[in-house]
Amino acid sequence: MKTLTFPVKIIGAAWKQQNLLIRNFRSSAAINMKFVQYKEKNSQKQLLGIFSDDGSEIKDLSGFSNDLKTFIESGTSIDEVKAKESGLKSVKTSDVEILSPITEPQKILCVGLNYRGHCDEQNKPYPKEPMFFSKYASALTGPYGDVIAHKISDQIDWEVELAVIIGSKAFHVNKENALDYVFGYSVAQDISARDWQKMRNGGQFLIGKSMDSFCPLGPSVIHKSVIDPSDLPITCSVNGVQKQSGRTSELIFDIPDIISRVTQSITLLPGDVILTGTPSGVGMHRSPPEFLKAGDLIESEIEGIGKIVNKVVEG
């Protein structure tokens, strides 16, 4: 498998003039089905595109839509995009600001305790049913956006996760055809204020999980036709030191199972995001516990999907 690198603009107050090398892990003809939202220099207009094969350029999809959620809702086929790909206008990746690939989803649904290793590090039995919770969409930030160290917490933690992006309205879905309702996959951080998650707010997760900037996502959404996410390496490093390393095959409840269970009572809509859980190595269960502080740099990666890099800043 060939590894390619290309520069992208890091978003963040102290980082805007620097470049970062991020990896693509496939060089097949389908690599350009990585959908990305971005802004050009000196513009506040959000645009939609797809990465070129080598990732050095973004091909403009404004003829289809300016945001991915609307594109998904339109039902436009991937074949339609491929048919027009060669004639699309391009912009250099290094000249734009990369945004979260999904903005304003109706739901961000999360699954707790869904990796065997994450249960093992807590000496907890594997759950017999998934534990669901949610994050507000206002927690979203881009793949190179800052994570705010909010002053009300001193236990901010990392959790790298595989994100699933829903492609069509789903209700009462069977496991056997659940993947028909998926559009693609991305990389996420389920940043968590452990004190607010575990000890404050009556033990409810919402505040601890939904603080502003607590859901970095990106750098793109790779279409499901390009990749099988069932057994991919997933890692997280802080300041260059690897903290988490696992494989998506460790999921206790896999993607079809999650979608099937949720849709027995909750309708999933195009653009909804599901965070599927995190492997072992989170800060609160290390000995001694470790938490994020201003100045830290979090690197989260899923092979074949992408890498996000987020700086922690003062709140």
Side-chain angles (χ1 to χ4, degrees), residues 260-306:
S260 178
R261 288 174 185 266
V262 168
T263 60
Q264 299 312 303
S265 58
I266 296 173
T267 300
L268 295 176
L269 298 174
D272 282 352
V273 178
I274 300 175
L275 305 190
T276 54
T278 198
S280 64
V282 300
M284 74 175 299
H285 297 303
R286 305 182 77 84
S287 184
E290 300 175 19
F291 297 107
L292 294 165
K293 62 185 183 305
D296 287 344
L297 192 69
I298 314 161
E299 299 175 81
S300 311
E301 186 169 15
I302 303 176
E303 185 172 314
I305 297 179

Side-chain angles (χ1 to χ4, degrees), residues 6 22 32 36 58 73 112 120 131 148 155 200 207 211:
F6 57 90
I22 66 176
N32 55 10
V36 59
I58 295 173
E73 290 171 337
D120 293 343
M131 180 183 72
I148 301 170
Q155 296 185 8
R200 303 183 67 176
I207 300 296
M211 294 184 189

Side-chain angles (χ1 to χ4, degrees), residues 117-293:
H118 189 42
C119 293
D120 293 343
E121 70 180 344
Q122 302 176 64
N123 296 314
K124 288 188 175 182
Y126 303 154
K128 295 182 179 180
E129 293 183 336
M131 180 183 72
F132 293 111
F133 60 93
S134 62
K135 295 173 84 83
Y136 282 138
S138 56
L140 281 170
T141 190
Y144 315 112
D146 293 338
V147 168
I148 301 170
H150 295 277
K151 290 182 173 61
I152 64 170
S153 175
D154 59 5
Q155 296 185 8
I156 298 174
D157 204 351
W158 57 83
E159 292 190 23
V160 62
E161 310 220 0
L162 169 67
V164 178
I165 312 302
I166 296 299
S168 57
K169 185 176 180 179
F171 187 63
H172 285 179
V173 171
N174 296 320
K175 285 199 296 185
E176 291 73 22
N177 66 341
L179 294 182
D180 293 345
Y181 297 86
V182 171
F183 179 82
Y185 308 98
S186 195
V187 183
Q189 260 291 339
D190 176 21
I191 302 292
S192 307
R194 299 301 191 187
D195 41 2
W196 282 87
Q197 177 192 0
K198 301 288 187 178
M199 294 171 282
R200 303 183 67 176
N201 197 40
Q204 298 294 316
F205 281 19
L206 185 63
I207 300 296
K209 293 286 188 175
S210 291
M211 294 184 189
D212 287 0
S213 78
F214 272 23
C215 192
L217 184 69
S220 61
V221 172
I222 185 169
H223 190 260
K224 65 179 180 182
S225 64
V226 176
I227 196 165
D228 177 359
S230 62
D231 187 23
L232 298 174
I234 178 171
T235 60
C236 174
S237 297
V238 178
N239 300 328
V241 179
Q242 189 173 91
K243 301 297 185 180
Q244 293 182 274
S245 179
R247 300 190 72 90
T248 55
S249 55
E250 293 180 59
L251 286 174
I252 296 168
F253 304 99
D254 63 14
I255 295 167
D257 193 6
I258 292 168
I259 292 173
S260 178
R261 288 174 185 266
V262 168
T263 60
Q264 299 312 303
S265 58
I266 296 173
T267 300
L268 295 176
L269 298 174
D272 282 352
V273 178
I274 300 175
L275 305 190
T276 54
T278 198
S280 64
V282 300
M284 74 175 299
H285 297 303
R286 305 182 77 84
S287 184
E290 300 175 19
F291 297 107
L292 294 165
K293 62 185 183 305

